[in-house]
Amino acid sequence: MTTRKLRVGVAGLGRMGKRHAINFHELTARADVVAASTPDESERVWAAENLKGVQIYADYDEMLEKTDLEAVVVASITAVHAEQTLKAITKGLHVLCEKPLSIDVEVAQSVVSAYEESLKTYPQQKVVCGFSRRFDASYREAYERITKDEFGSPVLFRSQTADLYDTSGFFVEYAKTSGGIFVDCSIHDIDLMLWFLGEDRKLKSLQAVGVAAVHPALEASHDRDNAIATVEFEGGKIAALYCSRMMAAGQEDTTEIICSKGSVRVNMQVRKNHVEIHDSLGARRELPQHYYERFREAFITEAYEFTACCLDNTSPPISLQSSVKAVGIGQALQRSLISGEKVFFDERATKN
């Protein structure tokens, strides 16, 4: 008996798009990548060499029009995430959109509204924003044990995303359309914060500060390469977020959830693997050099579970509305970062 496969199209074949394309094409047994699109000629050359049997398009709209798709993975630049997701929703396709849905919370909310309307016509449609850390085995274990009340109620959440220092200046150009360090770099930590402290929990206040330490040109885009934020929620919950783009040793993504009867830490002793080097320089271990090296297995799990929920008509693994809230918090932190002002929220969690 042949298992039916989900017919998938991939939009965008940059670094992340390539990874999604390979994961769905080669590592997800129930998925079949039948098309991919990118306006970049060099990426289309890569696709021709690495995605055998896949129809390659220069234009996203043409791919949607000419290919018999069931699902689309949107991995293009952030600036077109919402636009491409909306077009796929309108056609009744399932969508896995790379984070964030948009750099603007109102645009992100419009995606949710369009999806809710589309469900009236396509009740089995699934739309997911791909927050990869929710698919990581260590974060899932931490979440499951906390929800079982092994450590009491979570009180303080602290998390960081710290990228390897990029001497090419890539982030200076990227910052022009990324939405800023909190909407881009810290968005995973914000999503985890909502996951562990409660997606429906109301905000009380937030504040952020930052510096452009190694990429001063970021200031022209109202961005920074290092920033710290504090977030206060109703019910006595607080969070501290740290993000950096200048780590010398490698990627350092860590989280701690401090509860009333203990704490849970994920990846606080960052390591590439379990190899330790002992020589005349001392004892040391290597670190992952980029985000995907740390979370490769999580991305593979994400592809598998997205495919399964589409084919089996089960609930999406992440709430789309929570993804909108993450954008809203990131956007508010970015405003605080630039203005230097603390942001307060009223009982309806709207900015004062």
Side-chain angles (χ1 to χ4, degrees):
M1 181 178 177
T2 302
T3 302
R4 189 175 81 79
K5 293 187 176 184
L6 187 73
R7 298 187 302 278
V8 178
V10 179
L13 293 172
R15 285 182 296 181
M16 191 56 69
K18 289 182 175 71
R19 292 160 182 163
H20 279 297
I22 292 297
N23 287 345
F24 277 90
H25 191 53
E26 299 180 2
L27 302 176
T28 307
R30 301 180 70 190
D32 185 14
V33 176
V34 297
S37 69
T38 172
D40 187 293
E41 183 178 358
S42 65
E43 293 174 3
R44 293 197 297 274
V45 171
W46 175 90
E49 295 174 351
N50 293 275
L51 302 176
K52 301 300 182 183
V54 174
Q55 182 68 44
I56 311 301
Y57 295 90
D59 182 72
Y60 175 74
D61 292 342
E62 185 180 8
M63 180 181 74
L64 294 187
E65 184 65 30
K66 294 185 176 181
T67 313
D68 182 20
L69 298 175
E70 293 177 282
V72 174
V73 178
V74 175
S76 307
I77 61 172
T78 303
V80 299
H81 280 185
E83 176 188 349
Q84 292 187 337
T85 298
L86 285 167
K87 288 179 178 179
I89 288 173
T90 300
K91 287 186 170 291
L93 302 177
H94 306 296
V95 186
L96 173 62
C97 178
E98 253 304 319
K99 62 80 188 169
L101 281 175
S102 170
I103 62 173
D104 183 272
V105 67
E106 292 184 2
V107 175
Q109 184 60 52
S110 73
V111 174
V112 175
S113 298
Y115 177 41
E116 291 173 346
E117 185 64 26
S118 181
L119 285 172
K120 298 175 183 177
T121 304
Y122 307 103
Q124 296 187 356
Q125 187 177 38
K126 315 297 178 186
V127 179
V128 175
C129 186
F131 283 103
S132 50
R133 293 187 202 180
R134 293 214 194 191
F135 299 90
D136 177 71
S138 296
Y139 278 106
R140 283 187 164 181
E141 179 180 342
Y143 179 78
E144 289 169 3
R145 298 187 70 171
I146 287 173
T147 55
K148 290 177 181 178
D149 198 31
E150 291 187 33
F151 315 105
S153 176
V155 176
L156 171 62
F157 174 91
R158 65 184 181 105
S159 190
Q160 74 172 45
T161 295
D163 296 340
L164 177 69
Y165 176 40
D166 177 13
T167 58
S168 71
F170 164 79
F171 279 112
V172 176
E173 186 64 27
Y174 179 66
K176 296 176 181 178
T177 59
S178 72
I181 194 166
F182 283 110
V183 177
D184 173 52
C185 191
S186 276
I187 199 73
H188 285 291
D189 305 288
I190 294 169
D191 175 66
L192 288 174
M193 174 183 71
L194 294 173
W195 195 31
F196 280 97
L197 297 185
E199 294 175 356
D200 297 326
R201 190 169 296 278
K202 294 179 180 179
L203 287 164
K204 288 183 67 177
S205 69
L206 56 80
Q207 187 170 22
V209 294
V211 295
V214 295
H215 295 301
L218 284 170
E219 293 189 2
S221 300
H222 302 293
D223 202 7
R224 306 290 187 265
D225 51 29
N226 286 264
I228 297 173
T230 56
V231 184
E232 181 184 16
F233 291 89
E234 298 284 354
K237 313 289 184 182
I238 55 175
L241 309 176
Y242 165 60
C243 43
S244 176
R245 290 170 170 156
M246 54 173 255
M247 304 308 286
Q251 188 82 20
E252 299 188 40
D253 302 326
T254 66
T255 301
E256 181 177 23
I257 307 96
I258 300 174
C259 305
S260 58
K261 298 178 183 178
S263 68
V264 182
R265 303 178 182 185
V266 179
N267 204 40
M268 296 297 282
Q269 298 296 321
V270 184
R271 61 176 67 231
K272 178 179 180 179
N273 51 38
H274 294 286
V275 174
E276 290 189 355
I277 300 167
H278 295 252
D279 58 17
S280 60
L281 299 177
R284 63 190 186 278
R285 59 184 181 275
E286 294 183 344
L287 275 62
Q289 296 300 287
H290 51 76
Y291 187 85
Y292 189 73
E293 188 174 6
R294 162 65 179 88
F295 290 103
R296 178 181 180 273
E297 295 304 317
F299 279 98
I300 294 171
T301 301
E302 178 184 77
Y304 172 83
E305 293 190 5
F306 171 73
T307 299
C309 85
C310 294
L311 290 174
D312 301 334
N313 191 28
T314 55
S315 298
I318 302 175
S319 160
L320 198 61
Q321 189 63 57
S322 176
S323 301
V324 174
K325 189 171 183 178
V327 173
I329 293 173
Q331 204 173 11
L333 286 171
Q334 204 68 27
R335 289 195 300 269
S336 176
L337 174 69
I338 302 307
S339 69
E341 297 178 354
K342 189 172 185 177
V343 178
F344 294 90
F345 297 80
D346 64 20
E347 292 182 355
R348 297 181 304 279
T350 56
K351 183 174 72 69
N352 286 337

